[in-house]
Amino acid sequence: MQYMLLIYENEEIFGGPEKTGPLMAEIGPKHFALIGEMGAARLGGGGLKGTAFATTVRRENGEQTIHDGPFAETKEQLGGYYLIDVPDLDAAIALARRVPLGRDGAIEIRPLIPLPPGVTR
């Protein structure tokens, strides 16, 4: 089963929107090590630049508008993700527990909706 591991943390601790601070330099290699350990279970993933680089396309009453930045103001921001393929939720939880965090944060685990036969991602 495929799952997204969504990494939420306060992006300010990583040295600004480019995420070039010392904590990022410390935690990056931990993610690279985890990528190697995940092997074939990891289908994709990556870190995201800060919300200052975000653009939101919103649809309301049939009209689309474009906004700079994220739509919602929150204490923690989506900072990265892993796409994994593992046997079950327990295996996804086991991998999520190994995802490095800078300080406080959360890893949200969400199953992907299966595609119909003949359709590929």
Side-chain angles (χ1 to χ4, degrees), residues 23-75:
L23 184 56
M24 191 66 175
E26 175 187 325
I27 202 161
K30 294 176 183 178
H31 278 280
F32 302 142
L34 179 60
I35 288 168
E37 294 167 12
M38 285 182 170
R42 180 184 173 271
L43 301 178
L48 302 173
K49 286 192 175 187
T51 55
F53 293 100
T55 301
T56 301
V57 177
R58 181 167 179 79
R59 182 181 174 109
E60 192 171 310
N61 297 321
E63 298 288 323
Q64 287 187 340
T65 56
I66 299 173
H67 304 269
D68 291 333
F71 184 71
E73 293 288 329
T74 61
K75 182 178 133 184

Side-chain angles (χ1 to χ4, degrees), residues 92-114:
I93 291 170
L95 273 178
R97 287 176 181 249
R98 296 173 53 203
V99 172
L101 293 173
R103 293 194 187 132
D104 296 336
I107 310 299
E108 180 180 347
I109 304 165
R110 294 184 62 179
L112 272 65
I113 297 171

